[in-house]
Amino acid sequence: MTSLVSADSVDVALSKRTILHGVSVAVERGEVLALVGPNGAGKSTLLATLAGDLRPEAGRVLFNGEPIESLRNKERAKRRGLLLQSNQVSFPFPVGHVVEMGRNPWSGTDDSERDEEFVSWAMDQVDVSHLRHRRFNELSGGERARVSLARVLAQDTDLLLLDEPTAALDLHHQNRVLGLIRQRAKDGRGVVVVAHDLSLAAALADRVGVLVDGRMLAVGTVQEVMKPELLSEAYQVPIHVLTGPEGLPIIVPTRQPS
Ligand code: ADP
Ligand code: MG
């Protein structure tokens, strides 16, 4: 089976510093892959590489088996949506406009007839329809995060690359986005999610990749990866893995009250 996207032993440099070292990972249709790891491990860099926005110095990235370099920007944008980390973009436009920007790759194609359908659907999914006429830069952080996610959903791509989509969200909206991401995978899309909250990552993911210092320490199922020894090594802090009432792992550091 051809993976939706795969990175094969990629080295990626930024400002002449090698950030990713021989990283390999593949994402299949119908699955959610969570990327976890400490600050600065290279998670965002790996997402940009899988998106085709950064070119590896060594190794290769394939979309559906095709080298990423063979796809033009607009073609790439029809295939993968990238949600950047916490509002690195701020638009002084109405929310509706921002979400409509997700449809740009489809302009001039037959699919553009469905622009409004996708925009309304995407806004509804993340509960921002009522904000449609508000200005994006006047929203709260969590509202902006949801609008940005709606923009990526409206793009209607087979692959979703989401950098901390739930970081700014309240518990209700975290759960809503969790359900939405699971549903996208059920519908046959592939999703890569960077998540800081390990319990959320465990609830969300089919497989988990742990990046440490630009290297993939482990990739495997939630059961294989969410183990106290492995996570304690990755984060350099003792970590407990408990079992929640739904049978899902709850992952917490040991905390010593002073
Ligand atoms: P993460 O998302 O896991 O926190 P990043 O992928 O953002 O990590 O960053 C990985 C490393 O690359 C960090 O050490 C960061 O300082 C460095 N880095 C990020 N962007 C640049 C850049 N433009 N130039 C040089 N180094 C960068
Ligand atoms: Mg990051």
Side-chain angles (χ1 to χ4, degrees):
M1 190 175 68
T2 309
S3 299
L4 195 47
V5 68
S6 63
D8 183 11
S9 300
V10 294
D11 288 355
V12 176
L14 291 171
S15 315
K16 298 192 177 149
R17 241 183 81 218
T18 303
I19 306 293
L20 298 181
H21 305 266
V23 170
S24 297
V25 70
V27 184
E28 313 302 334
R29 290 173 191 284
E31 80 164 348
V32 180
L33 173 78
L35 288 179
V36 303
N39 295 148
K43 303 178 297 294
S44 299
T45 305
L46 179 55
L47 273 200
T49 307
L50 293 173
D53 291 346
L54 287 175
R55 294 286 154 93
E57 310 283 304
R60 55 183 196 162
V61 175
L62 301 177
F63 271 6
N64 279 319
E66 290 175 69
I68 213 164
E69 307 79 48
S70 66
L71 301 172
R72 291 168 181 272
N73 286 356
K74 194 165 175 181
E75 202 48 46
R76 287 211 312 269
K78 288 178 186 164
R79 300 200 189 195
R80 65 31 176 180
L82 174 63
L83 175 72
L84 294 174
Q85 195 168 356
S86 58
N87 317 303
Q88 287 171 10
V89 268
S90 187
F91 308 102
F93 308 134
V95 162
H97 239 80
V98 173
V99 181
E100 284 160 18
M101 285 163 63
R103 297 300 301 163
N104 287 349
W106 302 99
S107 69
T109 73
D110 288 349
D111 295 82
S112 66
E113 285 169 21
R114 299 179 64 196
D115 285 355
E116 180 48 35
E117 182 190 328
F118 279 111
V119 167
S120 304
W121 169 81
M123 295 208 297
D124 189 44
Q125 289 296 306
V126 293
D127 189 28
V128 294
S129 302
H130 61 292
L131 302 174
R132 186 159 188 158
H133 303 292
R134 297 268 305 278
R135 286 166 79 86
F136 180 82
N137 55 340
E138 292 170 6
L139 301 180
S140 78
E143 289 168 340
R144 279 201 300 256
R146 277 149 52 209
V147 172
S148 299
L149 181 55
R151 179 171 51 84
V152 174
L153 289 172
Q155 205 176 327
D156 186 37
T157 54
D158 279 351
L159 177 66
L160 288 164
L161 303 166
L162 309 176
D163 209 341
E164 301 186 26
T166 55
L169 304 191
D170 61 57
L171 295 178
H172 167 82
H173 288 104
Q174 275 187 16
N175 264 1
R176 206 159 158 150
V177 168
L178 189 147
L180 164 69
I181 289 172
R182 291 293 333 155
Q183 188 58 47
R184 288 274 82 184
K186 240 189 202 162
D187 293 342
R189 317 284 169 132
V191 191
V192 184
V193 192
V194 174
H196 263 297
D197 180 333
L198 296 174
S199 306
L200 192 80
L204 193 61
D206 298 294
R207 290 188 306 133
V208 182
V210 186
L211 267 179
V212 178
D213 288 338
R215 292 184 168 82
M216 199 61 97
L217 181 69
V219 192
T221 62
V222 171
Q223 287 76 12
E224 286 165 348
V225 171
M226 295 307 203
K227 290 186 174 151
E229 308 77 40
L230 198 155
L231 295 174
S232 301
E233 183 193 336
Y235 287 91
Q236 295 289 298
V237 61
I239 285 176
H240 293 301
V241 179
L242 314 172
T243 303
E246 305 87 2
L248 291 167
I250 299 204
I251 298 147
V252 286
T254 60
R255 290 190 170 119
Q256 307 280 358
S258 50

